[in-house]
DNA sequence: TTGAAAGCGCTAACAT
DNA sequence: ATGTTAGCGCTTTCAA
């Protein structure tokens, strides 16, 4: 057996060879803890110590290891965000606003994708929990019982968004999807339309909007058959065109169409124009999302705006407040929505 | 000073109270190391040991702490992805494909946003490096010298994408943006168009496409003034409409417009239709991106397709191969692009 | 094949 | 205000 020069047992060495806080501390001539404080809470350290450490950081090219910091402090400064699909444009501004608001406070975002599939939800959540994020934000309610249990067991703050469920796992920022559908139907009725139809995507929240739409119609005219077409996610312009063709073929008399997404509504507009239908004279069209093209289509698209930016910012606010953890924070924020009346309806 | 019952000095306790691998090991009646192996490399452990550990995991509700695992093993299973803007639809499929391919191998994605700003690039990269990702993927070349230096110093594999720079920091997956512009110009010339114009977004890569477009025109007709409009990122339908109006006002004779983004091209189509211009008879229109609406516009949009999915998958492949690290992996992958001829040009 | 020891790089807690 | 000590929860390394 090898014996080291001093006669002691050989030690295992497996340092990564990279610059660590200890190196910075040595260079600055202070204790590692002082270096740590100089970087993380400079106010608690003598200014010229801070300066010496700062210089040492530059000299050594030190970049902190947040993995180690997170492990030691039990704060990862990581927030997991779960979207149904990265490719769905409707949540982009939401993710952007959320990420931006968090980044300014040192948090970073890790991305999960639920693929509109509920069965893999628990596995996805577990993979995210394994990173020990300081919060988990999901688009839509957590549906699976297993998923809810895991979240609860993890004790990580959870924010469900874009929805108004009866029993959130923890916190909630959103609006009632059913009310959106109701508002669309009411709008059409108020505008004198009587033969309403709907083109709905098949995801959870679009289905809820559709449900509200149908409920509002039936509340006025019980037993009405509402012409409707269901299209698979993701919502595309082409799907909207084809769905509208389908609708017109089966129900020639419709005078208003609610689309659960602006992209689909743009498809309807496109198809209408291609076949010489006048919008809104012949058919009124309403979308959902108020995507950035909605105000510039021809005619401009009447739509229902749910402010993703606000949802993102509010979610970030709740996370930050909860991390402060002084008083109990509010648990439910209803950001509402608004009907944006333009020329198409 | 407080003395503990046994007369020893009191110890500091700050366990999080959560279930750890040690708890699982105790429950299974094995050593922590055996539990670790049973979970991470079950092939090296006796099958019934694996079974006992598996049961203990379920019984205890254990969720591994990847923060700790990453620190100990110097593998974070994290990949940082930097996009110019989360809201820009053009990179969505790329991010989705990249994330998907990585997720299947246990990697997770952390999101950075460069905001089309180069000055904050080094700071952004440093924040990402602090997470010790196993790779950093950027959309576009890393421009700042400080950023390149930091990346090099970090020794983290880097993959620049959507570009073909002369000197990549490390690896590169993309295509020549200038060639895209050249291809657009050549396509128009071949179709007999002679008065070309361009509407270009102001981001780096759009500017390169524009440059290639102009270069190809000048190669044929030296000294030509090419009508052009520059629009700020992000590219929207409305910006396209207004730019086209601008173009028509100043140059009535143009017979072809290249747009550096499909969304802008859709704006041109919209404006053309609104003012009774025939596409492509009066003006040919070409976009870039082949976004999912391009095949369903009226008329269908001729565009240049750069396959984001392929770029994402190739980037993932390079990361995985590099992590295997047997033979030196290829450093540059040119995925090319293709002109998708539809009715608009 | 299994286990014991050591330590990844950092910070909380305590001591001065 | 600064330093010392003892881990955070895991895996590498080495020994059996």
């Amino acid at each position: 057996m090898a014996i080291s020069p001093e006669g002691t047992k050989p030690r295992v060495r497996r340092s990564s060879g990279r610059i660590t806080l200890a190196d910075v501390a040595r260079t600055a001539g202070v204790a590692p803890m002082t270096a740590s404080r100089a970087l993380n809470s400079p106010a608690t350290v003598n200014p010229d110590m801070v300066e010496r450490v700062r210089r040492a950081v530059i000299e050594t090219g030190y970049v902190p290891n947040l993995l180690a910091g997170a492990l030691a402090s039990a704060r990862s400064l990581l927030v997991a965000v779960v979207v149904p699909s990265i490719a769905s444009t409707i949540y982009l501004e939401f993710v952007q606003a959320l990420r931006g608001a968090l980044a300014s406070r040192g948090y970073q975002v890790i991305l999960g994708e639920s693929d509109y599939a509920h069965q893999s939800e628990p596995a996805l959540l577990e993979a995210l929990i394994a990173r020990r994020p300081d919060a988990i934000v999901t688009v839509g309610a957590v549906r699976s019982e297993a998923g809810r249990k895991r979240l609860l067991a993890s004790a990580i703050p959870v924010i469900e968004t874009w929805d108004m469920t009866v029993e959130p796992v923890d916190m909630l920022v959103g609006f009632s999807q059913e009310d959106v559908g109701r508002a669309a139907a009411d709008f059409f009725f108020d505008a004198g339309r009587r033969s309403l139809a709907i083109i709905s995507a098949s995801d959870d929240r679009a289905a809820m909007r559709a449900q509200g739409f149908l409920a509002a119609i039936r509340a006025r005219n019980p037993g009405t058959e509402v012409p409707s077409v269901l299209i698979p996610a993701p919502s595309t312009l082409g799907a909207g065109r084809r769905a509208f063709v389908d609708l017109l073929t089966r129900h020639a008399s419709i005078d208003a169409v609610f689309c659960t997404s602006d992209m689909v509504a743009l498809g309807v507009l496109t198809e209408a124009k291609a076949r010489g239908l006048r919008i809104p004279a012949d058919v009124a069209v309403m979308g959902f999302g108020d995507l950035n093209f909605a105000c510039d289509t021809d005619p401009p698209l009447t739509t229902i705006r749910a402010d993703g930016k606000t949802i993102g910012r509010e979610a970030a606010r709740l996370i930050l407040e909860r991390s402060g953890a002084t008083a109990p924070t509010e648990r439910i924020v209803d950001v509402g929505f608004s009907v944006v009346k333009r020329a198409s309806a």
Side-chain angles (χ1 to χ4, degrees), chain A residues 237-307:
Chain A
L237 189 153
R241 282 189 77 160
R242 288 182 287 277
F244 190 44
V245 171
D246 190 11
L247 222 43
L248 291 174
T249 317
R250 295 189 290 122
H251 312 270
S253 67
I254 59 174
D255 63 5
V257 181
F258 174 49
C259 306
T260 58
S261 134
D262 278 356
M263 206 65 201
V264 170
L266 181 56
V268 171
L269 253 39
T270 305
E271 183 61 30
K273 187 151 276 189
R275 50 172 69 201
L277 269 175
R278 292 164 308 158
I279 306 284
D282 298 324
V283 181
V285 178
M286 175 147 36
F288 172 80
D290 196 23
L291 300 188
N292 67 22
F293 60 79
C295 58
D296 292 305
T297 54
D298 183 35
L301 185 63
T302 293
T303 186
I304 292 180
R305 144 169 282 268
D307 194 346

Side-chain angles (χ1 to χ4, degrees), chain A residues 124-178:
Chain A
L124 169 63
L125 291 173
E126 177 159 338
L128 294 174
I129 293 170
R131 296 282 172 192
R132 300 297 189 268
D134 290 336
I136 297 180
V137 180
T138 69
V139 165
V142 176
R143 298 302 208 77
S144 62
E145 196 46 48
R148 296 173 68 94
K149 271 200 186 123
R150 271 192 175 67
L151 287 174
L152 254 9
S154 76
I156 296 171
V158 174
I159 306 187
E160 293 162 284
T161 62
W162 292 87
D163 212 338
M164 270 296 143
T165 55
V166 198
E167 286 199 36
V169 174
D170 183 359
M171 291 174 278
L172 188 61
V173 180
F175 56 90
S176 165
Q177 298 280 356
E178 294 192 8

